[in-house]
Amino acid sequence: MENEKLYQMDFSKVYHLLVSKAEKKGRTRQEVDEVICWLTGYSRLELEGMLEMPVAYGDFFRNAPELNENRRLIKGVVCGVRVEDIKEPLMQEIRYLDKLVDELAKGKAMEKILRR
């Protein structure tokens, strides 16, 4: 039930929380955008469009043009759970993004965040 509540949240609301988290640590909105685009396959223009209309957070991931195949290389703990062990695919995609923004906020180099 709690997952469904997260899936129904408006993407723009979550987006602004992610940006705020990164900016508090000296990172930029553009870097957050780069991470989101890398993970989901949305272009920056598509991302901007999603912020201007109501889009459920779950639908943002369900409709992603091309989830990056290297996202499987994302490992670590978010909210006390190892992202690689999450069984529910949609929740795993959401936690991948959380983990990437955490890495960004911790000052990790973009090259490493994007698994290059």
Side-chain angles (χ1 to χ4, degrees), residues 77-83 95 98 102:
V77 178
V78 173
C79 298
V81 178
R82 296 202 74 69
V83 294
R95 294 304 180 201
D98 290 342
D102 282 353

Side-chain angles (χ1 to χ4, degrees), residues 2 17-18 35 38 48 50 69 77 82 97 102 106:
E2 68 185 52
L17 293 172
L18 295 172
V35 165
W38 175 87
E48 288 174 21
M50 299 290 243
E69 61 186 37
V77 178
R82 296 202 74 69
L97 180 55
D102 282 353
K106 288 178 182 172

Side-chain angles (χ1 to χ4, degrees), residues 23-37:
E23 287 179 340
K24 285 179 187 173
K25 298 294 184 165
R27 300 309 284 255
T28 67
R29 176 183 175 168
Q30 290 75 21
E31 289 173 309
V32 173
D33 290 354
E34 184 176 350
V35 165
I36 292 171
C37 293

